[in-house]
Each structure stands twice: as C-alpha cells, then as structure tokens.
DNA sequence: CGGACACTTCGGCGGTGGCCGAACCGTCCG
DNA sequence: CGGACGGTTCGGCCACCGCCGAAGTGTCCG
C-alpha cells in the first residue's frame, strides 16, 4: 500500500457508491424527495431484498441516505439537499446518452408525463419547471443574463403571492438546476422548493402515479396565467 | 439480463469512471486546466505506465478527457467545462472527509500554498478566490443574497478594468463554485475564467511549482487594492 | 400465541477490473 | 543508424463486489 492523495481516495469512495446500477436506480428514485421502504426499492430495482439491504447499508454509511426505522419498516431518503444536488448533477450529465426511444406505450406515456412536469427532489422540473422559470425571467423577476438570481421585483412577487422564503443555513435562495429532459436550467434552491411546495399545497399541481410526475390542474393553469402569464399550451 | 432503467445504467457507468483512486487522482490533477502527458500522470498517481494507459483509454472513451497526440506524447486534458464542473462538485462534496493533517513539512507548505491561492480549472480559488469574490460582493458588483449573478455595476467594472466577457455557447456568465478548502462559494463561469486569465496575463499572479497553486505578486496586491479594495493581509 | 411480514446475515458463486512486467511499436535525437 | 524514450498491448494474478437463497431476528396483527 503506497501513500496516496487522501482527496482522491475519498472521491473514488464516494463515486463508488454511484457506480452500481442498482444503487443508481435507488438514488434516482429517491430524487422524488420522499422516503421509500427497503422493499419498495427492491421491487423498483428488480433485485432480492437481501441484496438491496446491503446496498442501503452502504449508502447510509456513505452519508448519501438518511434512514428512519419505524416498526418493521426501514424508510430511507436522500440525506440532504447537497446529496440531491449531486444526484441531479450526475443525472444531468448522462441524460444525452439516456435519450433512448421508449420501448412500449406504457413507458412512452409515463415518459411523456415525466417530461411534461415532475418534481426534482423538492422543486418543479420538466416542461412545467422550464415554463415557470422562463416566465419569471421574462417578467424580470429572475435574472439569468449575468448569473442566476432573483431580482428585487422577484422577491416582491414571492411575497405578494404569499410564498415565504426563509433562508435556512447556507442553502442559496435561487440556484439553477439543469433539467435532463429539456437540457435547460430551471429554478431550484430555497425559492424553487417554496414554489413547488406552494403549488402542491394549493392544488396548482397534483402528483400522478407513484413516481415523480405531476400534473397541472385547471386551477393551476388559471393561477399560473394570472400570476406569471404562463400559457396553458406551454405545459403540454 | 433483465430490463433496467437506462438512466441508472448510464449514471452508474459515468460514476464508475470516478470510482477508482488512480483515475480520481488523474481527474483532480487535471483540474489545473492544463494538458498532462500520460507519463506525468503515471508518476503523479504512482502506477505503472501500462496501467495508466488503460485508465486514460477509459476516461477518453467515457468522454471525460480530450486527448491530443503530439509525436510520441499523448496529452490529455478535461474534455470541457461541464466535466470540470462535475469534478469540482464531487471534490467539494468529499472535502470535509479529506481534511487530513499534513504528514510533513513539504506537504504542509504545499498545502498552505494551495489554500492561499490556486486555480480551479480556469478560475481563481482558495483564499485568493474567496477574497476576490467577497470584495466583488461587498462593492455591489456581485449579487449573492438572492442567487449568484453580476450586477449592472459589476458588468461596468469588468468593462472598465478591460476584462472582456464574451459569452460562448451556454456557459453562464457567473456561477458559484464551492471551494473545498474554504467551504464557501467563489466566482466561476465566464467571468471567473476571464478574471483569472487577466490576472495571470497581467502578472497579478504567477503560478508556483508545477501544481495549481498561484501566488499574488506585489503588482497584483496593488491592483487588487486599487480596483477592489482587497487588503493584502486577506491573501496570506 | 402463532403466522405473516419486513428486513438482515451469511455462505458461496461468478464476473469485473486493477495491477504488474514483458514484449512491442513509434518517435526522437545524437 | 542505433539507442533512448513515451506509449501500448497482452497475459496472468488477485481482490473486490454484486447477486442469490436459506436461515435468522424482530414486529405486527388476528
């Protein structure tokens, strides 16, 4: 054993957690921001429960997942927003290669629902996320020319819409998350999370199926038009 | 062979490229933005030339490295800014665990030089990068409260300092890069790269040693004070 | 109390991949 | 032209790791 760069060791160790298809499938599934049980993930990934148990052990030990035991269930979720961002970054990097034709109608319709609108950990993504981000930018509420930040008008808009923006810790108020279907940045960070939570709480969107896909309701279409000038056609 | 999520497959395949200590050491070394020869990297990583040759083959095939053959040399560098950003993101994630005491004076002095100032692919990092970023923010040239973007005054400052900001492709003008020694964001993106190039071109900084570390010159201290009010003491 | 269920541990199997040294191929240069 | 040198290919070795099924532990519920 020779003496090596500790940073390289740590980097390799972290990457190794992602470098398995089963674990990668789990991390992507957990991008929906919810807590999954071990058996749900085993079914999702298509491996035996015993196999998945070991994977979860590694992911938790590596700090990527937080676990919560409830009775005979083991719930896991992504440890924090830093981890979620890392999964997003990696997923965005590989998306061009993942642009594969759907093999059947079921995958096709599920895929297009995801492309239309979904959550990305704790904020809106897909065409819905892009449409909202573009609308914010067009109205001068979000600055994208010289970086990525809310403007003063943007802060006022959130306040007037009744969406609170409480900064917790060091998490940035606004940050760009690269969408892996649209290949364009959309709003993440505290503001993205608050907007998504508000959209789900007030019924602008509802989750469909058990995955991350969301659907804009009639009330949501009206609200997005009134508040941001988003045309319903942009969401389809 | 069961049918699996193609995105998970792609993600695992990408992560596998990082999931080896030798390859990780190469990628971190290449964060200096320069092109290295295969034998330089072999020496750096402490493995046989034959071993490293295979690693380079994988990294190039995976799209992480670009290669250029010149005579009997094989030069490699990070493929593009997207890859560099990914390496940075991963490195930043592991830095807390990598905070290991240096084992001897040589490592210690090299480490503190790196902590004082270095390049991070194509922009300034370390205390130097933080000091510049903080100064830009304090003077209202960079907005960090509501995101991360240059202000109008910031654009004017770059113009008046004679630092051109040409947008190429989709690369953002300003973006935050998390520093792995300081644990704080510093200026990256087009503006960060332009500033770094200008600093090296005009002699504000010079590279020291063969690594990424840079040192602020007397002229640089004066310029940073005059243009941004950075106190020399903040750079030590 | 007993059976169903969620999860874990263990042993064993097979594939992958990192490593080296030896041999080989080009290029460079005296 | 010949030796030095950078890089590559190949064969063989070994460690690691993902997988499963079987057996075991703890929880829930009728």
């Amino acid at each position: 054993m020779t003496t090596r760069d500790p940073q390289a060791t740590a980097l390799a160790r972290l990457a190794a957690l992602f470098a398995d298809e089963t674990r990668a499938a789990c991390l992507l599934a957990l991008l929906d921001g919810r807590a999954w049980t071990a058996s749900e993930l085993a079914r999702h990934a298509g491996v035996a429960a015993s196999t998945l148990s070991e994977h979860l052990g590694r992911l938790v030990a590596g700090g990527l997942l937080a676990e919560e035991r409830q009775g005979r269930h083991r719930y896991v979720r992504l440890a924090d927003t830093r981890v979620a961002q890392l999964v997003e970054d990696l997923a965005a990097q590989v998306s061009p290669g993942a642009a594969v034709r759907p093999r059947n109608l079921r995958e096709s319709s599920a895929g297009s629902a995801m492309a239309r609108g979904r959550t990305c950990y704790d904020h809106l993504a897909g065409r819905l996320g892009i449409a909202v981000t573009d609308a914010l930018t067009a109205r001068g509420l979000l600055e994208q020319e010289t970086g990525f930040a809310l403007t003063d008008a943007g802060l006022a808009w959130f306040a007037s819409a009744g969406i609170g923006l409480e900064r917790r810790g060091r998490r940035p108020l606004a940050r760009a998350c690269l969408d892996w279907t649209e290949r364009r940045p959309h709003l993440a960070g505290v503001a993205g999370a608050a907007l998504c939570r508000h959209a789900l709480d007030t019924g602008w969107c509802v989750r469909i199926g058990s995955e991350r896909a969301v659907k804009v309701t009639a009330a949501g279409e009206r609200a997005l038009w009134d508040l941001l000038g988003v045309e319903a056609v942009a969401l389809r």
Side-chain angles (χ1 to χ4, degrees), chain A:
Chain A
M1 174 76 179
T2 63
T3 152
R4 301 290 287 271
D5 177 2
Q7 195 180 13
T9 309
L11 175 49
R13 212 184 293 274
L14 171 65
L17 293 175
F18 289 86
D20 173 80
E21 191 171 350
T22 300
R23 285 194 296 265
C26 292
L27 291 166
L28 289 171
L30 289 164
L31 258 192
D32 70 356
R34 293 178 303 171
W36 292 49
T37 65
S39 46
E40 282 172 338
L41 285 172
R43 207 174 319 119
H44 176 78
V47 296
S50 59
T51 301
L52 201 106
S53 176
E54 290 170 8
H55 284 307
L56 291 187
R58 281 169 174 263
L59 291 170
V60 170
L64 296 187
L65 300 188
E67 69 179 348
E68 214 164 325
R69 311 256 177 169
Q70 281 182 21
R72 55 185 170 182
H73 293 282
R74 179 192 204 177
Y75 284 95
V76 292
R77 54 186 164 73
L78 296 182
D80 53 39
T81 59
R82 288 177 56 84
V83 173
Q85 184 175 345
L86 197 56
V87 179
E88 287 169 15
D89 288 346
L90 285 161
Q93 189 80 10
V94 300
S95 59
V100 177
R101 293 276 128 238
R103 279 180 294 278
N104 54 43
L105 183 62
R106 183 187 183 77
E107 277 187 28
S108 169
S109 83
S112 73
M114 290 278 277
R116 206 153 38 228
R118 65 173 182 277
T119 55
C120 181
Y121 188 57
D122 62 2
H123 55 272
L124 297 173
R127 279 203 293 282
L128 170 59
I130 298 288
V132 169
T133 302
D134 285 352
L136 287 167
T137 306
R139 303 212 140 191
L141 309 178
L142 182 65
E143 169 60 52
Q144 285 202 66
E145 272 304 305
T146 65
F148 200 96
L150 287 179
T151 62
D152 291 340
L155 288 176
W157 181 86
F158 272 86
S160 73
I163 307 174
L165 298 179
E166 300 157 26
R167 299 203 62 169
R168 261 193 296 270
R170 293 189 164 257
R171 191 176 186 200
L173 204 58
R175 104 184 146 74
C177 174
L178 191 59
D179 195 280
W180 67 64
T181 47
E182 300 291 320
R183 310 290 307 153
R184 296 184 50 206
H186 59 254
L187 179 65
V190 171
L195 186 56
C196 177
R197 198 174 340 104
H198 188 260
L200 288 169
D201 286 351
T202 60
W204 293 359
C205 319
V206 290
R207 291 194 184 274
I208 53 180
S210 62
E211 296 280 334
R212 277 167 284 157
V214 299
K215 180 175 157 296
V216 179
T217 63
E221 287 190 356
R222 220 175 312 122
L224 289 174
W225 170 253
D226 289 345
L227 289 171
L228 287 173
V230 175
E231 299 189 35
V233 72
L235 306 175
R236 296 189 181 126

